[in-house]
Amino acid sequence: RGWIPLIGNAYESIQKYPHRSDINAFLEELTALAEIVLPRDARPLLTADRFDFPLAFPNTTAKSLTGLMTDDSKLEETDQAVSIFYSYLQSQCAPETVVATKAADQVACIPLLAKHSPDSYKVVIVRDGRDVAVSASYYQKLMAQWGAHWTPRKVSSVRSIKSWAYRVRLLSRYAKSYNLIVLRYEDLLAEYETFMTLLLKKLGLTANPDIVSQIASKASFEAATYGRKPGESANLIVRKGVVGDWKHHFTQSQADELWNAARTELSILG
């Protein structure tokens, strides 16, 4: 499924492709539909200073992906795919390279991640549930406009924040059991370099000011949006880059309803 956003409306063609049991043929068809050209098979292992799109398709090869898909096809238990995937990522990199992966809405998967990668640090970034509800609504509308096959169904803001609250309760339960590092999105926006320095030190990585400043520059809203300033809205996935935007979207009555639906969880996060 991770390939599907790259392929867009070719999704139906992939679903109907008759030769998915032939992994080499399927991969060739998949990359052709997505208009992706994979690098040659002979290339050096990746190191941190060579990353442009870390571990994404420009940095993999047909041979590597075929191997990964072949291993996956032989699994007896689907959760074993986690171990295979992490082994694949590490195999693409030079020894001692630190590999980081990012995904949204993974709180429920933390026990599985801990089982298959017990020595990895798990960093969780949480955001005010009211802003989450606003963001989810805009994302649903945008995907519907695009005609995306993975468009989520439309839900009310109250239902959205209740779903968020459930995840916060899970996070509270898992935080100590799995030694999670939990950061607030609001803190990162307010004092990015301070909290990034603390995080790097916690992870045992170099945290000198020059490196932290480079990370801050490359991770900024302006960099992610090719020049837009925080608060400048656009009809894109990276939409506005601010905190507290929910105040401009809900009436006082609606805000009170959201607070009552997730009072405890909002209080936990300050």
Side-chain angles (χ1 to χ4, degrees), residues 23-172:
I23 290 175
N24 286 294
F26 178 54
L27 181 59
E28 184 177 339
E29 178 76 0
L30 195 64
T31 52
L33 285 169
E35 298 182 351
I36 292 171
V37 178
L38 295 172
R40 66 186 188 281
D41 284 334
R43 60 148 178 79
L45 292 175
L46 296 171
T47 56
D49 59 345
R50 296 184 59 245
F51 283 1
D52 289 323
F53 295 92
L55 297 172
F57 61 86
N59 286 329
T60 193
T61 65
K63 182 178 180 179
S64 296
L65 278 179
T66 300
L68 173 64
M69 294 166 74
T70 300
D71 289 342
D72 274 344
S73 70
K74 297 176 180 178
L75 293 179
E76 295 183 2
E77 299 291 337
T78 55
D79 71 357
Q80 294 172 349
V82 178
S83 296
I84 288 177
F85 180 64
Y86 281 128
S87 295
Y88 160 76
L89 293 182
Q90 197 67 60
S91 73
Q92 302 298 293
C93 304
E96 307 304 320
T97 300
V98 176
V99 176
T101 61
K102 180 187 76 171
D105 198 16
Q106 296 294 298
V107 173
C109 299
I110 286 171
L112 183 63
L113 294 172
K115 174 183 176 181
H116 291 282
S117 189
D119 297 326
S120 299
Y121 287 101
K122 282 77 179 173
V123 181
V124 182
I125 299 176
V126 294
R127 186 181 187 186
D128 188 306
R130 293 161 292 193
D131 277 332
V132 170
V134 172
S135 182
S137 176
Y138 272 98
Y139 179 78
Q140 191 278 331
K141 292 174 184 176
L142 181 61
M143 294 301 101
Q145 289 173 12
W146 288 2
H149 292 277
W150 57 90
T151 300
R153 61 191 178 90
K154 187 175 181 178
V155 299
S156 69
S157 295
V158 171
R159 181 159 185 174
S160 182
I161 203 170
K162 285 183 176 180
S163 178
W164 170 86
Y166 167 72
R167 287 159 173 76
V168 172
R169 292 195 296 273
L170 273 184
L171 179 59
S172 298

